[in-house]
Structure formats: C-alpha cells, structure tokens
Amino acid sequence: MDFAKKYGPTALIAGGSEGVGASYARLLAERGLDLVLLARNTAPLALTRIALQRQFPDRKIESAALDLTAPDMLDKVRAVTAGKEIGLLICNAGSCERNEDFVDNDLGFAQRLATLNVMAPMALAHEFGRAMKARGRGGIVLMGSFAALAGSPTLAVYSAAKAFSATFCEALWHELAPFGVDVLHHQLGSTDTPFIARHYPQQVGKGDNPDTVAAAGVSGIGDGPLLRSPGGAEFAAYLNSMSRADAVRAAYEAGKAFMAG
Ligand SMILES: NC(=O)c1ccc[n+]([C@@H]2O[C@H](COP(=O)([O-])OP(=O)(O)OC[C@H]3O[C@@H](n4cnc5c(N)ncnc54)[C@H](OP(=O)(O)O)[C@@H]3O)[C@@H](O)[C@H]2O)c1
C-alpha cells in the first residue's frame, strides 16, 4: 500500500505538539505526509513544528494554537485547513489531570473533559470523515485508554468519554470501510508522555514509549476498529472474567496503584 496515496497529502493531528501526538507527527512525515498540528500552548507547538520541518524539509509542516474545547473550535480548524486535503485525522488530545470523585470536582472541568474527548473528535470526524468518504480514501484515529474498560472511580467522566470513543469508532469503522476510509480506536495504557511527567510524576519511566506506541498506531490504521497497547487485551479479559461490580472495584485498585506509582 502506498501510505501517502491512501492517507495523504495532509494529516491533521489534534494534540500534536508533544507525547504520542508528536510521535505520530514524526512517523507520518517520515511516511510522506504534510502535517497540520494543533495544540493550545504556542511554545512547544512551535518547537515541534520547527524540529519536524528541519528533519523533513520536503514536507509542509504547519501548526495552529487553539483550544479544542472552545465553542468556535471547528471554525478555527476549518480556517487553518482551508484548501488542504486532510487524508488522515488523528485525535490525540484527551488526558485528564484530576483524580477526584465526580461530585467533588467542578462541573465545568467535567464538561471540558467530555468536550475534549467526545464533542471535539465527533465534530472533526464529521467534518473530515465526510470529505474522506467523498474522496474514497483516508483514515481516522481516535485515542483511547484502558480506563474505558470499566467505569474508573475518580476518573468517571474520562473513562466514560473514552468508552464513547471506542464504541463510536467501531460504528464509524463499519460505516466508512466500504468507502475506503479506515477508522481506528487506539487504546493506550500508561505511556511516558510530558503530560504524565507534569501531572503524575511518580509514573515517569514506567509507561510505554510514545514512539513505540505511535509506531504501532501508524502500522495499524488499516486494522481497526481497535488497537490496544500491550497488556490491554489481558486487562480486558481479566475484567470481563468477573461481575461488573468486581470489575469496577478492580479498576479502582488499578487506578490507586497508578496514583501511588
Ligand atoms: N499518557 C498516558 O499514560 C495515557 C494513557 C492512556 C491514554 N492516553 C491517551 O493518549 C492521548 C495522549 O495523551 P498525553 O499523555 O500525551 O496527553 P494529552 O494532554 O492528552 O495530549 C497531549 C497533546 O494534546 C494537546 N492538548 C491537550 N489538551 C488540548 C486542548 N484542550 N486543545 C488543544 N490541544 C490540547 C497538548 O498540547 P497543549 O497542552 O499545549 O494543548 C499536546 O499536544 C490522550 O487521548 C490520552 O487520554 C494517555
């Protein structure tokens, strides 16, 4: 398969300035795709864009600073991508930096997290998936988490939003397959990203390598609807072997171990 012909000429990476998103960006440029990278903070975004442009002088690497949870997000993305053929959409941004019981946290935080993981990928998949379907080729990747394998106490909205993402991807995968568009839910376990270093420093050095994770994703875009990082299939089988009540308790214990490092 000619990767750039199938998924090019341009990939849009929502959350492409660091971690798994930046690793995807590098691997996609390596495979011949131009890039549009989105993130909120301008400095890391510019650093990543400049580094990639130096490494891949023949590719067109662009970036735009925007918040995927802002009400005018889609208008801004349309402006940035105007005139470009987005053949691959990667929705990477989605992490949760708070671990608190749902009712003890503020509702605004929960709503932003749901917007980031549900409404924003939905809007982007609708916008670019339509064009891909019309063109008869393309790919969509939404990033998930093992936290979705059961309702995860202290991560209630995060785990539920990622479960939405997994189910949504399955349906899109079936709907778009006849039109040559691949859809993948890329479900990650603990991964050593800058986000983790900032918010869960006790986990640094313990998770998967973002480059390895992204390499599996790039190779697996056509093998949807679900790709799990190592350990995910075993964790899912373990949780499925018990009652849902016990699965939730087990997810809680796994989360506690994660917090404790
Ligand atoms: N790391 C893990 O252990 C782990 C485990 C399971 C699943 N995952 C999933 O993997 C994905 C990547 O995780 P990550 O650890 O790299 O952290 P992340 O914060 O979800 O992703 C980092 C990228 O997203 C951007 N971003 C975050 N919020 C944004 C917003 N509101 N608008 C625009 N851009 C935004 C970040 O830049 P700015 O901050 O500058 O905006 C950065 O480019 C997420 O979907 C996460 O749920 C991660």
Side-chain angles (χ1 to χ4, degrees):
M1 192 240 315
D2 183 332
F3 191 90
K5 247 188 191 159
K6 168 85 185 178
Y7 302 117
T10 305
L12 175 66
I13 308 183
S17 63
E18 60 178 33
V20 179
S23 296
Y24 260 97
R26 186 179 51 73
L27 292 166
L28 295 174
E30 215 167 78
R31 296 235 189 174
L33 267 55
D34 295 336
L35 303 173
V36 178
L37 312 177
L38 308 176
R40 292 164 301 180
N41 295 293
T42 50
L45 188 58
L47 283 176
T48 300
R49 181 182 55 75
I50 291 164
L52 287 170
Q53 192 64 81
R54 280 208 187 110
Q55 200 179 348
F56 303 99
D58 296 339
R59 304 270 60 84
K60 194 170 182 193
I61 319 280
E62 295 174 62
S63 64
L66 58 83
D67 187 342
L68 291 159
T69 67
D72 61 352
M73 178 279 286
L74 192 56
D75 291 338
K76 285 190 172 162
V77 173
R78 281 181 179 142
V80 176
T81 56
K84 293 183 177 31
E85 220 174 87
I86 302 300
L88 185 60
L89 167 68
I90 312 282
C91 291
N92 173 62
S95 284
C96 178
E97 67 267 35
R98 291 191 201 171
N99 288 86
E100 281 162 286
D101 285 0
F102 173 67
V103 295
D104 297 336
N105 205 341
D106 63 290
L107 182 60
F109 177 82
Q111 286 169 330
R112 279 193 300 282
L113 188 60
T115 302
L116 183 62
N117 277 292
V118 176
M119 303 310 279
M122 190 197 299
L124 295 174
H126 189 265
E127 176 77 8
F128 297 105
R130 255 185 181 191
M132 290 175 199
K133 179 176 175 176
R135 257 180 245 131
R137 61 184 186 84
I140 297 173
V141 179
L142 305 191
M143 222 56 72
S145 166
F146 294 176
L149 295 173
S152 298
T154 76
L155 286 172
V157 173
Y158 178 72
S159 59
K162 294 297 196 187
F164 168 90
S165 179
T167 308
F168 180 56
C169 277
E170 286 181 353
L172 287 194
W173 170 79
H174 191 274
E175 287 178 4
L176 291 172
F179 300 93
V181 180
D182 297 327
V183 179
L184 181 71
H185 182 70
H186 191 175
Q187 197 172 68
L188 311 194
S190 177
T191 307
D192 227 348
T193 63
F195 173 91
I196 290 292
R198 282 194 298 274
H199 299 285
Y200 304 101
Q202 72 281 9
Q203 283 297 325
V204 168
K206 295 182 180 149
D208 294 327
N209 180 298
D211 289 339
T212 311
V213 168
V218 169
S219 312
I221 298 172
D223 303 323
L226 173 67
L227 171 69
R228 287 188 167 128
S229 283
E234 292 77 4
F235 190 45
Y238 169 65
L239 295 178
N240 284 336
S241 72
M242 54 187 86
S243 72
R244 289 310 290 170
D246 284 343
V248 172
R249 291 185 193 105
Y252 180 55
E253 292 307 320
K256 266 200 330 204
F258 182 86
M259 294 312 137

